Amino acid sequence: MEIRFNHTTLGQRVLFGAGAAATNIAAALHDLGSSRPLLVGGGHAAEVVDQICEQFAVVGRIREVVQHVPAERARDAVALAQEVDADSVVAIGGGSATGLAKIIARDTGLPVVAVPTTFSGSEATDIWGMTEDERKTTGTDPRVLPRVVVYDATLTQGLPTDLAVHSGLNALAHAVDSLWAPHADPINRAMAGEGMRALVPGLRGLRAGTEGLEAHERVLYGTYLSGVALASAGAGMHHKICHVLGGTFNLPHAPTHAVVLPYVAAYNSEADPDSEARIAEAFGTPHAASGLWDLAREVGAPGSLGEIGLTEDDVDLAAELATAAIPDSNPRPVSQESVAALLRAALRGDAVR
């Protein structure tokens, strides 16, 4: 069989080490030639922030970040970066902090050093997102890809268990969705497969609380691989649905991904047997969708979209918006009716087998 594909590898430095966040941030800033960083987030990493402030002339601080990156806050952040003459942005936090830093980078060209404190995976992608007038807009831009990512598993150890596993399921969604995304190819499929193999046992370890730092390191490693796969392949059906649910209905980001993922996998599985087999292998189960469903139950994810704020009255609009955004490359054709049926199943929490 002939192998033919067009793959782009994004350039990014990754510094990975438990307890080394402050040292690695300093090294990243020195190597970037930065002396006037703007800090975004950092509320859960006060010690790291203090050390950075001691070593650098931090010119501003955005402490409060909001999920889905509201446009008004994004514009204020860009204006602040320009006003204080920042020469870099250090984002310490989850996907909301990284997302805000990305908009600053998009509009100013400043380099970003991302320091994840959750498993959002946004740090590994050149995808930006912003919400205005109840619509979430996303795009890709090489300027928003963080130049350096600093991973330190001690920064995720303080996460409440529910938040940690929901965030990790979001990372798992990056791997799964990349398999049927517009630019899927053998390289990002390989990364997605390895990412899933790290994330599945890592998530179980986080819920059990028996593996300590090792589970956090495993999930961070899987998060990065899965994010890289998504950045290369693009966003598929799953992410387009979740972006609508978050941007228009303000559903919480990570729990939404955790609920929707098994239903999208069930929808696509028969039309994409290769991806079905890859996902099932990572779970050690006969079917991808049932493996995802069982893991979500095992680690305590929400059981339905109804639990996290969606109502029956929302379904038709959500289906209309999502259907318009889902790429034509999805392995199974979609219609507004089929997406509405998927959303209603997820709204009720129907079992996936």
Side-chain angles (χ1 to χ4, degrees):
M1 182 181 67
E2 182 183 27
I3 298 176
R4 181 177 300 191
F5 59 88
N6 183 345
H7 178 85
T8 299
T9 299
L10 302 178
Q12 187 178 64
R13 182 184 184 189
V14 178
L15 301 173
F16 197 113
T23 299
N24 284 335
I25 295 168
L29 291 174
H30 281 304
D31 291 347
L32 289 170
S34 170
S35 60
R36 297 174 56 81
L38 170 68
L39 293 186
V40 176
H44 301 295
E47 184 177 347
V48 172
V49 170
D50 288 345
Q51 291 179 61
I52 296 304
C53 289
E54 289 173 4
Q55 297 181 62
F56 295 89
V58 174
V59 294
R61 178 91 185 270
I62 300 173
R63 289 177 169 81
E64 185 179 356
V65 294
V66 179
Q67 69 173 355
H68 308 305
V69 191
E72 182 177 354
R73 288 178 177 268
R75 286 190 284 267
D76 289 345
V78 170
L80 176 63
Q82 294 170 329
E83 177 185 335
V84 300
D85 194 26
D87 61 9
S88 64
V89 184
V90 178
I92 305 176
S96 299
T98 304
L100 183 59
K102 284 182 170 184
I103 299 300
I104 298 173
R106 187 196 66 177
D107 292 354
T108 66
L110 293 177
V112 174
V113 177
V115 189
T117 61
T118 70
F119 308 115
S120 78
S122 175
E123 67 279 357
T125 81
D126 60 350
I127 302 169
W128 58 266
M130 189 164 60
T131 301
E132 188 168 23
D133 298 329
E134 297 184 339
R135 298 291 185 270
K136 185 169 185 176
T137 302
T138 62
T140 60
D141 190 315
R143 291 174 296 181
V144 310
L145 179 74
R147 295 277 291 278
V148 185
V149 183
V150 173
Y151 285 115
D152 181 342
T154 65
L155 299 182
T156 62
Q157 277 191 300
L159 286 173
T161 302
D162 282 347
L163 177 57
V165 296
H166 295 169
S167 176
L169 287 168
N170 180 23
L172 186 63
H174 293 165
V176 172
D177 206 31
S178 72
L179 294 173
W180 48 64
H183 307 295
D185 65 42
I187 295 177
N188 53 52
R189 286 192 182 101
M191 290 185 177
E194 175 64 10
M196 288 187 287
R197 283 188 288 273
L199 285 167
V200 172
L203 286 167
R204 288 174 173 146
L206 290 183
R207 173 53 71 186
T210 57
E211 297 185 68
L213 193 66
E214 182 181 349
H216 285 261
E217 289 185 322
R218 187 181 292 122
V219 175
L220 280 174
Y221 167 66
T223 294
Y224 180 72
L225 289 176
S226 301
V228 171
L230 186 78
S232 172
M237 178 181 182
H238 170 82
H239 276 76
K240 297 304 182 182
I241 290 173
C242 291
H243 288 164
V244 168
L245 295 177
T248 302
F249 303 99
N250 201 33
L251 267 60
H253 184 77
T256 300
H257 281 275
V259 173
V260 171
L261 188 59
Y263 295 96
V264 176
Y267 185 87
N268 279 334
S269 60
E270 289 188 10
D272 188 356
D274 178 70
S275 296
E276 154 84 1
R278 288 175 185 268
I279 302 166
E281 178 190 10
F283 285 89
T285 56
H287 302 291
S290 62
L292 289 163
W293 171 265
D294 289 341
L295 179 69
R297 307 285 79 70
E298 181 181 344
V299 301
S304 70
L305 290 177
E307 288 183 28
I308 57 176
L310 196 73
T311 70
E312 173 62 34
D313 291 341
D314 300 327
V315 168
D316 287 339
L317 176 58
E320 177 186 350
L321 296 174
T323 303
I326 294 169
D328 293 338
S329 60
N330 194 66
R332 180 180 170 187
V334 299
S335 65
Q336 188 170 329
E337 291 74 20
S338 64
V339 174
L342 184 156
L343 288 171
R344 287 192 171 92
L347 176 70
R348 296 187 299 263
D350 295 350
V352 176
R353 293 298 173 199

